[in-house]
Amino acid sequence: QGSLVESGGGLVQAGASLRLACAASGITFYGYTLGWFRQAPGKDREFVASILWTGNSPYYADSAKGRSTISKDNPKETVFLQLNNLNPEDTATYYCAAKYGRRSISDSDYEYWGQGTRVTVAS
């Protein structure tokens, strides 16, 4: 079975930036959509951004536009999420996920999930 492993989270002050990474283990991304989701305490998991492994086509939630950038490094089979100008409302556990085929904003469509990396933004 394949798996995804996130890294790069941490505690930062408001206005800071982080780059999260998601590395594949035991799977190949060709033909897949890679997505980032986040879940704050007491809230539902929400879509942040997605990208096609082959063909790019980045797509963002409205809340992420202008502050977040999704990218990939194909030789390393790794997907990144750059988070800029963070604020306390961005505090959440960030998950990467993968599904075969076209993009989706629904977490139920994704087949593979990482265990998450925690982002905490202090005022």
Side-chain angles (χ1 to χ4, degrees), residues 53 72-78:
W53 187 245
K72 56 187 173 68
D73 185 339
N74 287 42
K76 296 183 178 179
E77 296 195 346
T78 301

Side-chain angles (χ1 to χ4, degrees), residues 64-117:
K65 292 178 181 177
R67 296 195 302 127
S68 303
T69 303
I70 188 169
S71 61
K72 56 187 173 68
D73 185 339
N74 287 42
K76 296 183 178 179
E77 296 195 346
T78 301
V79 178
F80 303 95
L81 182 68
Q82 178 73 32
L83 303 172
N84 297 322
N85 195 26
L86 288 162
N87 59 63
E89 289 70 35
D90 296 315
T91 294
T93 299
Y94 286 72
Y95 299 89
C96 66
K99 67 178 294 293
Y100 186 76
R102 66 185 185 273
R103 75 188 185 204
S104 173
I105 65 170
S106 176
D107 57 1
S108 65
D109 288 339
Y110 286 76
E111 305 166 18
Y112 298 94
W113 288 87
Q115 295 185 354
T117 185

